[in-house]
Amino acid sequence: MGKKVLVVEDSSTMRSLIVTTVEDILGFEAVEVKNGIEALKALPTQSFDLIITDINMPNINGLEVVKFVKENPRYKAIPMIIVSTEQGEKEIQKGLALGASEYVTKPFHPDNLKKVIHKVMN
């Protein structure tokens, strides 16, 4: 059975790049959502092996998604990767402190994301 990845990204272009990396390069199944609210709605409906989330999104941002997942006993074991334009050390440390496994800054090469996904899932 293949791995299932929840991709939380409001930019359709960036979401497409992440989904292509997850599905075409890694052979995993990607479930796409456009924001944090959709992510919170998707979580109880399916089992995910990984969550990749942006930070800057309307309504519920990616850091709030990370916090919710890591504080919820049902989901806290799911590894999470933050993908964001926020490149400051303070933002990176905040995301990792909330429980994200890795932090990837945009722009990135798909090979870099692939390596990070392998690292987190192995």
Side-chain angles (χ1 to χ4, degrees), residues 40 43 51 60 62-80 94-100:
L40 299 185
L43 279 169
I51 299 171
I60 297 175
L63 293 176
E64 292 169 308
V65 172
V66 173
K67 186 174 189 296
F68 173 83
V69 168
K70 293 304 175 182
E71 289 182 348
N72 188 310
R74 183 173 174 190
Y75 311 121
K76 69 180 182 183
I78 302 171
M80 299 187 75
K94 187 173 184 179
L96 296 175
L98 286 172

Side-chain angles (χ1 to χ4, degrees), residues 1-7 23 29-33 38-51 69 74-75 78:
M1 189 168 116
K3 304 285 186 186
K4 188 180 288 185
V5 180
L6 178 61
V7 177
E23 291 186 336
E29 178 184 351
V31 175
E32 304 176 51
V33 296
E38 290 184 10
L40 299 185
K41 289 180 179 176
L43 279 169
T45 66
Q46 303 176 57
S47 294
F48 295 101
D49 301 292
L50 174 68
I51 299 171
V69 168
R74 183 173 174 190
Y75 311 121
I78 302 171

